[in-house]
Amino acid sequence: MQSTGIVRKLDSLGRITLPMELRKSFDIGEREPLEIFTEEDKIIIKKYNPSDIFTGQCEDLIEYRGKKVSRDSIRELARIAGYKLTEE
């Protein structure tokens, strides 16, 4: 992990501001979704990249009931369930 030397205080609502330099470096646009992770005593902020809930694949996704699933996973699940698919 690399220190940026930047220190920010939380405001009264618990928010912080990401400095413009970091937003430019990571190509983070206004209102772009960010994902928050924790690891031991660390808080990690990462650009949100939707991915398949089964494989983590990021291409060819379909949303089903608020979850992202790739067409490959759908085909595999259909095969496992004994269905034969015809491609459109």
Side-chain angles (χ1 to χ4, degrees):
M1 190 168 4
Q2 183 177 350
S3 175
T4 63
I6 300 168
V7 176
R8 291 286 192 256
K9 290 184 179 182
L10 293 175
D11 71 8
S12 62
L13 295 175
R15 299 175 296 198
I16 61 168
T17 302
L18 293 177
M20 180 61 74
E21 302 84 35
L22 287 177
R23 288 181 282 163
K24 283 182 179 179
S25 294
F26 288 92
D27 193 29
I28 298 172
E30 188 176 310
R31 302 213 179 273
E32 187 163 349
L34 302 174
E35 203 166 5
I36 300 170
F37 300 90
T38 60
E39 182 180 297
E40 297 173 12
D41 64 340
K42 298 173 191 71
I43 299 170
I44 302 162
I45 300 173
K46 181 179 172 187
K47 284 179 70 167
Y48 175 66
N49 188 15
S51 61
D52 183 302
I53 59 170
F54 299 109
T55 65
Q57 179 180 332
C58 296
E59 296 82 32
D60 207 11
L61 300 177
I62 296 171
E63 186 166 329
Y64 178 71
R65 296 188 179 185
K67 306 291 184 195
K68 303 288 185 184
V69 183
S70 69
R71 292 179 191 275
D72 290 342
S73 288
I74 293 169
R75 287 185 196 101
E76 180 66 12
L77 290 168
R79 187 189 64 74
I80 291 169
Y83 293 99
K84 293 184 187 231
L85 299 178
T86 57
E87 297 293 323
E88 292 182 20

